[in-house]
Amino acid sequence: MTDPVLTDELIAAHGLNPDEYARILEIIGREPTFTELGIFSAMWNEHCSYKSSKKWLRTLPTSGPQVICGPGENAGVVDIGDGQAVIFKMESHNHPSYIEPYQGAATGVGGILRDVFTMGARPIAAMNALSFGEPTHPNTPHLVRGVVEGIGGYGNAFGVPTVGGEVRFHRAYNGNCLVNAFAAGLADADKIFYSAASGVGMPVVYLGAKTGRDGVGGATMASAEFDDTIEEKRPTVQVGDPFTEKRLLEACLELMDSGAVISIQDMGAAGLTCSAVEMGDKGRLGIKLHLDHVPQRETGMTAYEMMLSESQERMLMVLKPEKEAEARAIFEKWDLDFAIVGETIAEDRFLILHGNEVKADLPLSELSSSAPEYDRPWVAPPAPDALGDIPEISAMDALRTLITSPSYAHKAWVWEQYDTQVMADTIRTPGLGAGVVRVHGTDKALAFTSDVTPRYVRANPVEGGKQAVAEAYRNLSAVGALPLATTDNLNFGNPEKPEIMGQFVGAIRGIGEACAALDMPIVSGNVSLYNETDGQPILPTPTIGAVGLVAHLDEIIGGLPEEGDLALVIGESEGHLGQSALLAEAFGIEAGDAPPVDLESERRNGTFLRDNRALVKAATDLSDGGLALAAFEMAEAAGLGVKLDIRDLPSLFGEDQARYLIACSFDQAEALMVAAGAAGVTLAMVGRFGGDAVALGGEAAPLAELSALYRSAFATAILAV
C-alpha cells in the first residue's frame, strides 16, 4: 500500500503543529514516512508526552520513606511493611467513554488493571470517579448507563472488587463526561517488575491478544477537543475482553515467577509504539521490530495501523533468551499469543521492518526525551462572584433537596452493578466512605478513596487543590487508616487558554502543598487535557486517589451509630456556605470563595481521630452538604433517626474543612472530651442518634420517608429519561 502524501492537513490531523513538524524535520533530516509521522504523533501528543504539564508536575512531592517507586513507571509502589507493597494508579478514559460509553469505560478498567499487574502485582481493588452532565441532558442517561455497565462488565468478569468511587453531575460535563479508573494490587516488595530494557540482542516479545484496527489513533484523539465530527472518532475506541485479560494476568504472574522477564510494559496508549519506545528509552537502548511477526486478527494491516493500534490485553516484554521455551509454554497453556517480534540493539534507533521494507528508522531517544515541552502562558482565574444574601429555605427542605439530587442521593443503583466482594477480602463496601480491603492472609487492611470538589477548584484552584487532598486524608482517617500516598488524575480543559492553564497551575500548587503537609506523596498519576466541546470546558477536576494502611483489623473504624449514641463534631465550624452543595442544588448559586483549608488542623484532627479510634463507633468526614447531610447519611445507614441541636442553616450545611462527625456512647464522649482538650482539638456535641425521625432546625420528618426519597432519587433521575 502506497503511503499518502504528507499534506499540511494530514500533519494537522495528527495533532502536530507547524513548529513541531519543523522540529521533526530537523531531528531526522528528511520528510518522515507515513508510519514515522504516526509514531511522532503518538509520542508527542498531550496524552503520552505531558508536554503542557511536565513543568508543573515536577513540583509535586513524590518521595518519602514509604515510597519504593514514584512517578515514571506504570504505577506507583508503596511499602506497607512485612516485605509487602501496594501498587496503584489512576487514569482517565474520558474521550473514549463519551464516544462509546460501554467500551470506553470497560477498556479504561482493563488498562489500569494492566498498569498494576505489569509490575508484578495481583490486583485487589478498583475504584472509579465519574462526572456527567445534567441528568436532564439527552445524552446523560445513555452515558451513565453505558459507563456503569462497562465498568461492571469488565471488572466483574476479570474478578476484582470495586470498593469505592464518586459520581457527580454538572452542566459543565454535558459535552465531556469524565471516567477516571483506579486500581491497586499487592506484590512482594522485592519482586517488583520495571519497564527499562537491558542487554543488547535480547528478544522483544509480544504477549497476549492479537492486534486489530481498533483504537488506531486513540491517544491522539484523547489529546484534542471535541466538535461536530465526534461520530467520526468512534473507530478510535478500543474493544475490551476481560476474560482474555484475566488469562493475561495469570500468565504474566506465572511468567514473572519463572525468572524469564528482563522488563515488561503493557501496551496502553499508542500501543506497540509507546511500549517499545518507553522500554528502549528507559534502558538507553534501541529497538528493532519485525512487524511480520506481530499476531494479527485482521488481514492486510499496514505498519502504521500495527504501530498505532490500541487493541487491548497486550504486553511487550524483553526476555532472557535462555528462558524462551519455558516462557512460550506458559502463554500457550493460557491460550495467549507469544511471539518474538524484535530485539534490543545498541544503536539509538527505532527500526520498524514490514515485509522487505523499512517503514520507520528514527532516533529512539528523540521520540521521548525530545518531545516538545511547553511553558504555557497562564493567568490566575478571576475571583468568584461575591456570595450575597442567602435565599430563605427551611433546614428540612434543604436536606430534601440534597438527598434527592443525583449527585448526593444514595448510589446503590451504581455500585450494586459492581462485584464488591469477589476475592472475599472486602471489609467495607461502597456507600460508606473509603473502601477497605484486607491484605490477604494477614491482619492488615488497605483503605481506598477518591475525592475532588470541582466547584471549589473553579472558584479557587489553590484551595480546591488542597481540599481534594485533605478530603482524601479525612476519608482514610475516618476508617482508622494512616494515609500513605496518593495518585492524581488531573482533568482540565484546553491548556492553550491562559485561564485554563491558570486553573491547572493553581490546583497543582494546592495539591503539592497538601501532599507535603499531610505526608501523602504523589506516586503515580495521569493528566487529561482538552476536555472541551465546542470551546466549552469542563469544571477543573483534579481527582485525588489515596491509599491508607490499617495496621490491624481491630483498628478499623467501621461501625454504625446505635440507639442513644451521641453525635460529636471534631473541628471548628464557622458555617462557610461559599460554593456549597446547598446553594448549588437548592438555588443554582455557585458563588463565593471555596472554603479555606488549614492543613495543620487537617493533620491534627485526623491524627486525633486515629489515635482515639477505640472510643469511636462510627465516623465520617464532613464535606459536601456539611453536618446535616453527613448526619443523615450516617443515621440512615444504621436505620436510625437523628436529632441535631443546631438550628441555623450555615452551621447545618456549611462546608468548613478539617471536620469529622463521630458517634459514640456517653462514656466514650467524656473520655474523648478529655483527650481533645489535651490535644488542642475542638470537639463539640451536636446531637443524638436514635428514634425514627430526623430532626434539624426545629423541624422533624420520618426517617422512613426521607430514606425512601434518598434511595430512589438516583435511579429515578437516570432511568426516567
Side-chain angles (χ1 to χ4, degrees), residues 37 80 305 503 589 639:
L37 179 71
I80 61 170
E305 291 170 330
Q503 292 176 346
I589 295 173

Side-chain angles (χ1 to χ4, degrees), residues 241-584:
D241 179 355
F243 300 104
T244 298
E245 178 117 332
K246 175 65 172 174
R247 299 201 317 274
L248 182 61
L249 162 71
E250 300 299 344
C252 284
L253 294 182
E254 189 173 338
L255 182 71
M256 290 164 175
D257 282 342
S258 75
V261 178
I262 294 176
S263 65
I264 190 165
Q265 174 78 33
D266 88 288
M267 291 195 222
L272 192 53
T273 290
C274 195
S275 56
V277 169
E278 286 189 9
M279 291 173 77
D281 187 54
K282 288 175 182 175
R284 303 194 176 187
L285 292 168
I287 300 281
K288 180 195 292 185
L289 296 179
H290 302 270
L291 298 187
D292 295 350
H293 301 150
V294 170
Q296 300 161 55
R297 56 177 157 82
E298 300 187 46
T299 58
M301 289 191 72
T302 65
Y304 178 97
E305 291 170 330
M306 279 187 272
M307 292 306 297
L308 298 186
S309 167
E310 294 184 7
S311 293
Q312 297 293 285
E313 293 87 41
R314 302 180 302 158
M315 296 279 195
L316 200 64
M317 170 183 69
V318 177
L319 171 74
K320 293 178 182 175
E322 68 274 14
K323 293 280 191 175
E324 178 186 340
E326 184 179 355
R328 186 184 297 275
I330 291 171
F331 272 75
E332 288 177 351
K333 180 184 79 172
W334 288 100
D335 194 25
L336 293 165
D337 279 293
F338 178 101
I340 296 177
V341 296
E343 61 183 313
T344 59
I345 56 178
E347 301 92 340
D348 179 21
R349 296 172 75 189
F350 193 37
L351 184 58
I352 311 299
L353 307 174
H354 189 212
N356 295 317
E357 295 183 56
V358 174
K359 290 294 185 179
D361 189 355
L362 300 169
L364 186 144
S365 63
E366 300 285 354
L367 291 168
S368 180
S369 59
S370 291
E373 182 174 333
Y374 296 121
D375 185 0
R376 302 269 191 205
W378 61 276
V379 295
D385 294 337
L387 189 53
D389 294 333
I390 307 299
E392 287 192 15
I393 187 172
S394 73
M396 194 56 67
D397 284 346
L399 180 63
R400 283 193 176 95
T401 299
L402 288 178
I403 66 176
T404 55
S405 158
S407 288
Y408 303 108
H410 199 260
K411 301 298 192 303
W413 183 90
V414 175
W415 53 258
E416 284 177 356
Q417 298 185 55
Y418 307 150
D419 191 335
T420 62
Q421 296 290 348
V422 65
M423 301 178 75
D425 282 319
T426 305
I427 295 171
R428 192 176 172 97
T429 56
L432 292 169
V436 182
V437 175
R438 181 170 62 101
V439 177
H440 192 76
T442 76
D443 290 324
K444 295 184 295 189
L446 289 166
F448 305 99
T449 186
S450 73
D451 299 285
V452 66
T453 306
R455 291 188 314 277
Y456 295 172
V457 186
R458 182 178 60 183
N460 188 327
V462 176
E463 291 303 310
K466 278 197 244 178
Q467 192 275 340
V469 178
E471 187 173 345
Y473 177 88
R474 292 198 302 271
N475 273 322
L476 296 175
S477 295
V479 297
L482 175 67
L484 288 179
T486 55
T487 181
D488 57 21
N489 203 149
L490 307 174
N491 308 275
F492 290 82
N494 184 345
E496 296 168 47
K497 297 178 179 178
E499 63 273 20
I500 299 294
M501 200 64 209
Q503 292 176 346
F504 184 88
V505 171
I508 287 284
R509 178 183 152 198
I511 289 168
E513 287 180 18
C515 286
L518 301 175
D519 289 337
M520 297 169 70
I522 297 276
V523 297
S524 59
N526 173 249
V527 178
S528 175
L529 303 177
Y530 295 96
N531 289 291
E532 299 200 7
T533 297
D534 295 328
Q536 296 301 308
I538 61 164
L539 292 180
T541 311
T543 309
I544 297 295
V547 177
L549 176 67
V550 181
H552 194 281
L553 298 176
D554 292 343
E555 298 180 358
I556 295 172
I557 305 172
L560 293 171
E562 298 174 3
E563 183 73 33
D565 279 347
L566 301 183
L568 290 86
V569 169
I570 298 171
E572 296 278 353
S573 297
E574 296 182 3
H576 185 98
L577 284 176
Q579 300 298 329
S580 65
L582 170 65
L583 296 187

Side-chain angles (χ1 to χ4, degrees), residues 660-678:
Y660 300 83
L661 173 65
I662 61 174
C664 59
S665 69
F666 181 84
D667 290 344
Q668 290 171 324
E670 280 195 323
L672 280 169
M673 288 289 184
V674 173

Side-chain angles (χ1 to χ4, degrees), residues 469-483 517-518 520 549 555 557 569-572 598-614 616 619-622 657-662 672 676 679-683:
V469 178
E471 187 173 345
Y473 177 88
R474 292 198 302 271
N475 273 322
L476 296 175
S477 295
V479 297
L482 175 67
L518 301 175
M520 297 169 70
L549 176 67
E555 298 180 358
I557 305 172
V569 169
I570 298 171
E572 296 278 353
D598 183 331
L599 294 169
E600 287 186 19
S601 295
E602 293 284 1
R603 187 179 184 115
R604 180 178 63 249
N605 295 352
T607 301
F608 172 78
L609 175 58
R610 295 193 307 273
D611 287 348
N612 293 279
R613 69 191 93 198
V616 176
T620 183
D621 88 299
L622 298 192
Q657 300 297 293
R659 297 187 302 158
Y660 300 83
L661 173 65
I662 61 174
L672 280 169
V681 167
T682 300
L683 182 65

Side-chain angles (χ1 to χ4, degrees), residues 67-115:
V67 178
I68 295 173
C69 176
E73 278 292 338
N74 290 287
V77 185
V78 174
D79 192 344
I80 61 170
D82 304 312
Q84 293 179 299
V86 59
I87 292 89
F88 62 95
K89 187 182 183 184
M90 181 173 268
E91 258 197 359
S92 60
H93 234 221
N94 302 335
H95 283 42
S97 298
Y98 189 79
I99 297 168
E100 213 304 299
Y102 184 96
Q103 290 295 347
T107 52
V109 174
I112 200 66
L113 289 169
R114 285 195 304 282
D115 279 338

